[in-house]
Amino acid sequence: MSIKDSQTAQSADRVADEWNNLIAALEGLAAAAAADGSERYAAVRQRAEAALASARARAEANARGAQDRVHDLASQADVYVRQNPWQAIGIGAGIGLIAGLLLSRKG
């Protein structure tokens, strides 16, 4: 795995972790509200738990899907660069030139 692939995977993992933290916090909030014991809070808690379970499942599926897509794109870019090294160098040089021109105008 290249450095770029590992950085992308780390970013995807951080996003997934943030979603999991948010969902866990909402689960804690639902549990705290349920501690009251009234029937109204119990009904709200049940709906919230169902919504949170659904959100967690969707977030995990989305994170896995995004991670897979990013990995595929990185692999395709790696294959392209290996098959066309001079074109890749030219593209990189062109991007560097444009970035340099843009940065020199701001200064």
Side-chain angles (χ1 to χ4, degrees), residues 7-105:
Q7 289 173 343
T8 303
Q10 289 173 355
S11 294
D13 289 343
R14 282 194 300 268
V15 169
D17 289 343
E18 288 300 320
W19 272 108
N20 288 334
N21 290 340
L22 175 63
I23 291 170
L26 291 173
E27 287 172 341
L29 181 62
D36 182 323
S38 72
E39 289 180 30
R40 186 176 74 171
Y41 284 123
V44 169
R45 183 176 140 228
Q46 287 175 348
R47 286 195 313 253
E49 286 175 348
L52 287 170
S54 175
R56 181 181 292 265
R58 282 193 311 262
E60 289 173 357
N62 288 339
R64 281 191 303 272
Q67 193 173 24
D68 290 344
R69 284 189 301 273
V70 167
H71 181 70
D72 289 343
L73 287 173
S75 295
Q76 289 173 7
D78 185 53
V79 168
Y80 178 81
V81 169
R82 289 177 190 274
Q83 290 177 349
N84 305 293
W86 290 109
Q87 288 177 344
I89 290 170
I91 291 169
I95 290 172
L97 177 66
I98 292 169
L101 290 172
L102 292 173
L103 291 174
S104 68
R105 285 186 185 186

